Amino acid sequence: MAGMRAVVCEGAGGVEVLTIGEIEDPTPAVDEVVINVVAAGVNRADLLQRQGHYPPPPGAPGTIGLEVSGTIAAVGAEVEGWSVGDECCALLAGGGYAEKVVVPAPQVMPVPEGVDLVSAAALPEVVATVWSNVFMTAHLKEGETLLVHGGSSGIGTMAIQLGVAHGARVLCTVGSKDKMDFCHRLGAEVAINYKEAEWASVVNEATGKQGADVILDIMGAKYLQDNVKTLAYDGRLVVIGMQGGTKAELDLGRLMSRRGSVTGTGLRVRSVAEKGQILAEVVGHVWPLVAAKKVRPVIQRTYPLEAVAQAHEALEQSNHIGKILLTI
C-alpha cells in the first residue's frame, strides 16, 4: 500500500495531539481529482476539529484542512478541463494537511493570474466565504455600507478588499492599533479597536445613525444585540462564526422596525453542487479583480508541515493579520 505524509490527530485536544503520520494515498472517483499539495490554509475550523468540536461531514477525509494549492496528480474518468500537472487551488471538506488530497472537480479552481502557487492556498476558503455571504446572500451593492467584524483576519481582509472593489463604504472592528492601520491601508474607511471603544456607537456615529447595510459577523451571540442595533433599514446581518457564543436574546421589535434580516450560514456542509456554483462565481467575478491587483491574498506567515502545532498556536493567539499557511 502506497502511503503519504499527513497530519494525524491522536485523539482530540490541544496542539499536542497533532502528529505527522503516514496514511493511504487517495484515489479519485470518476468525478474527482487528486492534488499534489504545495500549501494548505490554516483556519479556525481546523482548531475546532482538532479539539473534537467540528467533525468532518460524511464522506469527507478524516484529516484536517479545508483549502490547498498544488498541481493535479490524477484525474477521474469523467472529469473534464483538468490535466495532470495543472496548477490549481481547491476548497475541501477536509484532508488538506497532507501531501495529496482528493477533491470533487467542481471545487477546484485555476490559480488566479499574478498569484504564486503557495499564496494561492490562502484564497479558496476566504474568497468562497466572503463571496457567498456578502454578495450571493446579502447582495451588497455599490454605495452601501459594509461592516466587517474581525477585519484583520483572513476573511476580514478579503471582505474589506472585495467591499471596496465593489464600491461599498467599509467599516471594520479589530483588536489593535497595528490592525487598524493595516485595514485602513486595505481601504477600510473606519477601523474600530473594540478593546478601546464601544464599536456600535462608533458605527452609528460614522454612519450618521443610518447604520450598516450589510454586517459580516464572526462573533455570534456576543455581538447579536449590537449588530441588530447598528443595522440600517433593510439591513442584512450574516453570521458566519460563533467565537462569542451561540445563544443570545434577539430584539425582534428593533429588527422588524428596521426591516432587517439575520442569516446564519456555513460553507463546509454545503453540497458539491452548491460549492461548485460559489466557486464558479468566484472565478468569474473575483479572479479578474485579483489579476487587476485590486484584491490580493494577505498572508502573515507560512510554516512547514512539521510545524503544524506552531501554526495552530499562532492562529489561536490572534495576533496575526491575514492568513497562516502550511507548506508541504
Side-chain angles (χ1 to χ4, degrees):
M1 180 184 74
M4 63 172 181
R5 287 188 313 138
V7 174
V8 179
C9 287
E10 297 182 342
V15 295
E16 69 278 355
V17 305
L18 297 169
T19 62
I20 306 296
E22 189 168 292
I23 63 174
E24 188 175 354
D25 269 352
T27 54
V30 294
D31 56 352
E32 295 176 328
V33 302
V34 174
I35 298 173
N36 282 326
V37 177
V38 169
V42 180
N43 292 283
R44 289 204 173 269
D46 303 347
L47 311 184
L48 293 173
Q49 183 171 336
R50 184 201 76 216
Q51 294 161 0
H53 302 315
Y54 193 29
T63 44
I64 298 175
L66 297 177
E67 59 187 339
V68 297
S69 59
T71 58
I72 301 290
V75 179
E78 296 178 5
V79 173
E80 297 179 355
W82 291 105
S83 302
V84 172
D86 288 348
E87 294 189 344
C88 63
C89 56
L91 182 71
L92 316 173
Y97 291 12
E99 290 180 320
K100 295 180 181 180
V101 67
V102 64
V103 56
Q107 293 173 213
V108 185
M109 299 179 287
V111 175
E113 180 185 335
V115 176
D116 66 88
L117 191 54
V118 169
S119 298
L123 290 171
E125 182 75 16
V126 297
V127 178
T129 296
V130 173
W131 187 261
S132 64
N133 286 292
V134 174
F135 296 93
M136 296 174 72
T137 297
H139 303 290
L140 180 71
K141 302 177 187 68
E142 182 179 358
E144 289 192 322
T145 297
L146 169 65
L147 171 62
V148 179
H149 290 302
S152 60
S153 66
I155 288 171
T157 54
M158 182 55 62
I160 291 169
Q161 293 181 85
L162 284 175
V164 171
H166 284 83
R169 182 191 187 200
V170 181
L171 291 70
C172 68
T173 60
V174 293
S176 73
K177 176 69 164 57
D178 287 346
K179 291 178 177 181
M180 289 172 67
D181 293 342
F182 190 88
C183 291
H184 281 308
R185 292 197 295 273
L186 283 182
E189 185 177 324
V190 179
I192 307 157
N193 185 345
Y194 63 83
K195 295 177 181 178
E196 297 182 351
E198 189 179 65
W199 63 262
S201 298
V202 178
V203 170
N204 280 324
E205 182 180 345
T207 60
K209 297 186 179 179
Q210 296 300 304
D213 299 289
V214 175
I215 302 176
L216 185 65
D217 177 53
I218 58 172
M219 294 303 294
K222 184 177 180 180
Y223 278 10
L224 180 62
Q225 291 188 28
D226 280 341
N227 277 331
V228 171
K229 281 182 189 174
T230 53
L231 273 181
Y233 285 105
D234 298 309
R236 292 85 76 195
L237 165 61
V238 187
V239 182
I240 61 169
M242 298 176 290
Q243 293 180 37
T246 60
K247 295 182 179 180
E249 286 192 6
L250 175 62
D251 186 344
L252 287 173
R254 173 72 181 188
L255 188 69
M256 293 172 70
S257 72
R258 287 282 177 169
R259 303 185 301 271
S261 64
V262 180
T263 306
T265 74
L267 184 61
R268 189 181 194 183
V269 296
R270 293 185 192 229
S271 68
V272 172
E274 288 176 304
K275 291 176 183 175
Q277 180 186 3
I278 292 167
L279 297 184
E281 290 207 16
V282 163
V283 172
H285 295 286
V286 181
W287 272 200
L289 296 173
V290 177
K293 296 187 168 27
K294 293 181 179 179
V295 172
R296 63 182 174 90
V298 176
I299 298 165
Q300 173 74 39
R301 185 175 168 185
T302 61
Y303 293 81
L305 189 66
E306 293 74 17
V308 61
Q310 291 97 300
H312 272 221
E313 287 173 338
L315 190 63
E316 286 176 324
Q317 290 163 4
S318 290
N319 293 323
H320 62 289
I321 293 175
K323 294 285 290 188
I324 293 171
L325 302 180
L326 295 173
T327 52
I328 314 302

